[in-house]
């Protein structure tokens, strides 16, 4: 009767499919969840958003009998859309913690991107596609980039060319989408690609495309003295007004601002719960509500940070960092960001040289994949006369220090910049990459809120030291600061807060400027 507006969703419970649900609702469809293999066979149209690791997904599908039902459904050429891992699982096998057998419907092996040729892994961000054949899901509308986030990919070959509808180039050509009859699957995330029409994205025909540089809006969130959750903004991390009342600076409401920045063209939105280091974040229900409400209308990736660590509450109940992260993912986050806890983990790792696998960083990246784990670094510049004065990696400064110092190292801090630790940003970045971080959010306390530009010396140092993407943060005050950071460093994204909150420069103007300077961005 009403089946015209129903989509059947295969959610095997391994992670966040909230954004897919929201996108389906946004398009005016009802969702029916698959509970048994029969539900798959009875579906009119089936969406399969793969999440988590290949092996554990196959495990669940095999155990529940869903693997068999899926094969039947697809072999019968029934309407199907697989997303991300939902594409990869259709192939014969994957090298992810493997080899592991897949559903075996499409010839080919899913392998890892090769980062040795200068392309950062995971592949995170917006890329345009090259069309191999017509496919209705790729039809129509604008000159859009689509959002990818993955470390593994399937490659086009003679054996699978009848399936391939588009490819994307990231150091090598890989399969971006497949289509045969009614069966579709995409490696990218239509639900995160900012489109109104979910799967309708128009690839740039034949035009060469690089991974677009991302512009990220950041919302530092905390409860003010009245108990309201507000967006605040610090000056070198000091978020209180310099008045008698000394109140927390209030720049607006988190959900509204996130929605605004999405409309303005932000490629991602980050929420940082800046008092998470002392308050238990799951006690902070408003934060979870902010994520839930934001993800209903914002179809670009959302990151949340602050307070991701193990915690024991006043009643002695223990919460693991994995539970905290899971709650964030369930509420609509695509990535979580770890600050203080990653510093302690890296210190321990550098001391012992042993990966114990127990830290929040390692556990969350094992379960949700490293593309879901960002490490946020809050370094402060420490000037020195000579590199030999310290055991940490120094940079030769473009602009000497206050006493003519020619060098500096960047000291990591915890607890919102309140405590300096015996580890540098360089040492930390390399350690967390080894431990499973998928991305680095690189702040700089000296530059935060100053509007004088990013710390190019620092960003160059870190983005050259690691092969995961680096997000440059702190100090943006004009559109030129964005082009400068992309021209002078290997940053993959630039994040800003104050410039957007104070409505000095909207996100669109930043992107128009970058485009004019010949830097590829998603428009
Ligand atoms: O340590 O895991 O609980 O995480 C705490 C998180 O909160 C960290 O990501 C840390 O960076 C952040 N944080 C803690 N205290 C503050 C503060 O401001 N008092 N904010 C804080 C960090 C820095 C940037 C800021 C940029 C751009 N804010 O996110 O948005 O510097 O600002 P600008 O464009 O205005 O210069 P844990």
């Amino acid at each position: 009767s009403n089946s015209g507006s129903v989509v059947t969703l295969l959610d095997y419970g391994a992670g966040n499919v909230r954004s897919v649900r929201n996108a389906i609702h946004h398009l005016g469809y009802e969702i029916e969840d698959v509970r048994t293999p029969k539900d798959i066979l009875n579906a009119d149209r089936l969406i399969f958003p793969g999440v988590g690791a290949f092996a554990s997904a196959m495990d669940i599908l095999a155990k529940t009998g869903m693997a068999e039902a899926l094969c039947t459904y697809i072999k019968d050429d029934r309407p199907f859309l697989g997303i991300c891992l939902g594409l990869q699982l259709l192939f014969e096998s994957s090298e992810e913690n493997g080899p592991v057998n897949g559903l075996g419907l499409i010839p080919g092996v899913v392998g890892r991107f090769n980062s040795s040729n200068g392309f950062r892994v995971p592949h995170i961000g917006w890329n345009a596609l090259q069309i191999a054949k017509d496919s209705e899901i790729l039809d129509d509308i604008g000159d859009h980039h689509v959002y990818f986030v993955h470390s593994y990919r399937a490659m086009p070959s003679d054996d699978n060319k009848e399936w391939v509808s588009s490819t994307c180039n990231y150091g090598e050509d890989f399969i971006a989408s497949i289509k045969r009859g009614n069966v579709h699957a995409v490696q990218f995330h239509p639900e995160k690609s900012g489109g109104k029409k979910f799967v309708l994205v128009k690839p740039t025909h034949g035009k060469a495309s690089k991974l677009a540089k991302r512009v990220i809006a950041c919302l530092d969130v905390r409860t003010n003295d009245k108990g309201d959750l507000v967006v605040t903004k610090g000056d070198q991390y000091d978020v209180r007004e310099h008045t008698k009342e000394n109140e927390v600076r209030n720049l607006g409401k988190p959900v509204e601002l996130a929605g605004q920045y999405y409309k303005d063209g932000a490629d991602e939105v980050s929420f940082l719960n800046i008092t998470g280091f002392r308050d238990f974040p799951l006690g902070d229900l408003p934060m979870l509500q902010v994520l839930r409400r934001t993800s209903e209308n914002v179809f670009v990736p959302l990151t949340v940070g602050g307070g991701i660590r193990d915690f024991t509450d006043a009643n002695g109940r223990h919460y693991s960092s994995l539970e905290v992260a899971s709650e964030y993912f369930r509420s609509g986050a695509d990535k979580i960001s770890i600050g203080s806890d990653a510093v302690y983990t890296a210190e321990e790792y550098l001391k012992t040289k042993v990966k114990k696998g127990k830290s929040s960083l390692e556990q969350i990246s094992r379960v949700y994949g490293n593309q879901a784990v960002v490490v946020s670094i809050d370094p402060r510049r420490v000037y020195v006369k000579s590199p030999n004065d310290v055991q940490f990696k120094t940079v030769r400064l473009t602009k000497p220090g206050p006493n003519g110092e020619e060098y500096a190292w960047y000291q990591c801090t915890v607890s919102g910049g309140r405590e300096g630790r015996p580890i540098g940003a360089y040492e930390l970045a390399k350690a967390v990459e080894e431990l499973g971080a998928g991305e680095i959010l690189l702040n700089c306390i000296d530059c935060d809120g100053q509007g004088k530009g990013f710390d190019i010396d620092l960003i160059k140092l870190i983005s050259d030291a690691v092969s995961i993407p680096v997000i440059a943060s702190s100090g943006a005050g004009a559109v030129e600061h964005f082009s400068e950071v992309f021209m002078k460093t290997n940053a993959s994204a630039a994040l800003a807060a104050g410039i957007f909150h104070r409505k000095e420069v909207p996100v669109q103007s930043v992107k128009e400027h970058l485009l004019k300077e010949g830097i590829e961005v998603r428009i």
Side-chain angles (χ1 to χ4, degrees):
S1 58
N2 211 1
S3 69
S5 57
V6 173
V7 165
T8 303
L9 186 70
L10 175 50
D11 170 6
Y12 50 89
N16 168 31
V17 299
R18 179 176 282 267
S19 45
V20 174
R21 289 181 187 279
N22 287 333
I24 295 170
H25 284 145
H26 196 77
L27 293 173
Y29 287 86
E30 295 296 316
I31 295 173
E32 250 167 36
D33 278 289
V34 170
R35 308 208 185 278
T36 67
K38 250 207 177 120
D39 297 335
I40 293 178
L41 300 173
N42 291 335
D44 289 320
R45 46 179 88 81
L46 181 68
I47 296 189
F48 179 33
V51 280
F54 193 100
S56 53
M58 263 319 285
D59 213 38
I60 298 173
L61 293 177
K63 270 194 199 127
T64 52
M66 306 245 185
E68 214 188 310
L70 263 176
C71 286
T72 308
Y73 183 89
I74 290 171
K75 280 182 187 151
D76 288 349
D77 192 29
R78 312 262 299 280
F80 175 84
L81 174 65
I83 301 173
C84 196
L85 195 62
L87 173 142
Q88 296 182 6
L89 289 163
L90 305 180
F91 285 81
E92 286 165 317
S93 66
S94 171
E95 287 166 3
E96 184 176 1
N97 309 320
V100 182
N101 283 335
L103 294 171
L105 297 161
I106 307 179
V109 174
V110 178
R112 195 168 197 277
F113 277 114
N114 183 359
S115 66
S116 60
N117 51 8
F119 287 83
R120 287 163 198 271
V121 182
H123 171 224
I124 299 183
W126 306 77
N127 250 137
L129 309 177
Q130 284 116 36
I131 295 302
K133 71 168 168 199
D134 281 345
S135 166
E136 54 273 39
I137 66 162
L138 302 174
D139 268 354
D140 217 9
I141 63 174
D143 209 3
H144 282 183
H145 287 80
V146 290
Y147 184 75
F148 289 92
V149 48
H150 58 137
S151 300
Y152 291 82
R153 84 285 178 263
M155 308 281 276
S157 71
D158 277 347
D159 295 332
N160 60 32
K161 65 169 181 267
E162 57 169 317
W163 287 90
V164 177
S165 59
S166 70
T167 58
C168 177
N169 187 278
Y170 190 62
E172 56 196 6
D173 283 335
F174 68 89
I175 297 176
S177 66
I178 62 112
K179 173 214 154 73
R180 201 170 81 173
N182 292 312
V183 176
H184 302 266
V186 291
Q187 178 60 64
F188 55 88
H189 288 266
E191 80 284 10
K192 285 284 154 187
S193 294
K196 286 184 222 71
K197 291 261 181 87
F198 195 37
V199 289
L200 298 182
V201 288
K202 180 178 181 187
T204 36
H205 280 265
K207 197 175 103 192
S209 159
K210 282 189 292 205
L211 183 63
K213 298 291 185 183
R214 288 171 277 154
V215 176
I216 302 176
C218 181
L219 304 164
D220 289 350
V221 174
R222 63 160 289 169
T223 312
N224 67 10
D225 303 324
K226 288 192 218 120
D228 303 323
L229 200 66
V230 298
V231 174
T232 187
K233 183 65 209 78
D235 242 335
Q236 301 186 327
Y237 285 36
D238 178 4
V239 299
R240 290 190 178 268
E241 303 276 14
H242 293 257
T243 55
K244 240 199 260 120
E245 292 74 25
N246 217 227
E247 65 272 36
V248 171
R249 210 170 282 144
N250 180 349
L251 290 159
K253 295 189 178 143
V255 179
E256 280 168 25
L257 278 183
Q260 183 62 48
Y261 298 148
Y262 167 65
K263 279 197 209 112
D264 291 349
D267 296 314
E268 288 181 30
V269 176
S270 295
F271 295 101
L272 298 175
N273 185 344
I274 67 168
T275 53
F277 70 90
R278 59 166 181 253
D279 308 324
F280 181 49
L282 293 194
D284 216 347
L285 281 175
M287 191 65 197
L288 298 176
Q289 271 157 15
V290 163
L291 281 171
R292 289 188 197 117
R293 286 182 43 213
T294 303
S295 63
E296 280 168 19
N297 298 306
V298 171
F299 298 109
V300 291
L302 301 176
T303 301
V304 62
I308 300 198
R309 65 196 151 95
D310 294 341
F311 188 87
T312 305
D313 72 11
N315 305 320
R317 158 93 154 87
H318 180 78
Y319 296 85
S320 73
S321 58
L322 193 58
E323 286 175 75
V324 179
S326 303
E327 199 56 46
Y328 278 145
F329 288 128
R330 266 198 293 277
S331 302
D334 298 285
K335 304 188 250 188
I336 56 88
S337 152
I338 309 175
S340 307
D341 200 55
V343 178
Y344 301 125
T345 301
E347 285 181 30
E348 176 73 17
Y349 173 59
L350 290 177
K351 226 181 282 160
T352 60
K353 301 271 183 267
V354 188
K355 292 184 195 171
K356 296 215 181 81
K358 294 271 161 60
S359 65
S360 47
L361 165 54
E362 292 161 287
Q363 291 193 49
I364 300 167
S365 87
R366 197 178 320 118
V367 174
Y368 289 95
N370 59 354
Q371 81 291 336
V373 181
V374 183
V375 166
S376 162
I377 314 184
D378 300 310
R380 185 177 273 126
R381 218 178 287 142
V382 183
Y383 295 103
V384 287
K385 290 244 143 56
S386 145
N388 303 326
D389 292 355
V390 278
Q391 66 189 106
F392 309 104
K393 178 90 170 174
T394 55
V395 292
R396 203 195 163 100
L397 295 162
T398 331
K399 196 173 144 249
N403 301 307
E405 299 93 340
E406 285 184 32
Y407 294 87
W409 69 287
Y410 289 88
Q411 181 179 25
C412 292
T413 66
V414 293
S415 307
R418 286 167 183 79
E419 185 194 339
R421 298 293 307 180
I423 181 169
Y426 175 88
E427 290 77 16
L428 182 94
K430 290 185 85 78
V432 298
E433 174 176 29
E434 283 175 34
L435 291 166
E439 201 170 26
I440 285 173
L441 163 52
L442 185 57
N443 302 293
C444 177
I445 298 181
D446 307 78
C447 298
D448 174 57
Q450 306 306 295
K452 294 192 189 125
F454 295 94
D455 190 322
I456 301 294
D457 295 334
L458 168 67
I459 297 160
K460 210 169 153 355
L461 174 74
I462 304 300
S463 63
D464 289 342
V466 295
S467 66
I468 52 180
V470 172
I471 303 167
S473 163
S474 303
V479 292
E480 290 77 14
H481 294 149
F482 290 86
S483 44
E484 181 188 27
V485 78
F486 289 134
M487 285 182 203
K488 294 190 178 162
T489 79
N490 286 311
S492 301
L495 172 150
I499 190 177
F500 299 140
H501 303 337
R502 293 187 301 265
K503 309 202 167 25
E504 290 164 8
V505 176
V507 181
Q508 301 96 304
S509 309
V510 173
K511 293 198 146 177
E512 280 159 21
H513 169 76
L514 290 172
L515 210 58
K516 211 179 72 210
E517 295 294 317
I519 297 165
E520 184 157 343
V521 290
R522 171 187 75 109
I523 289 291

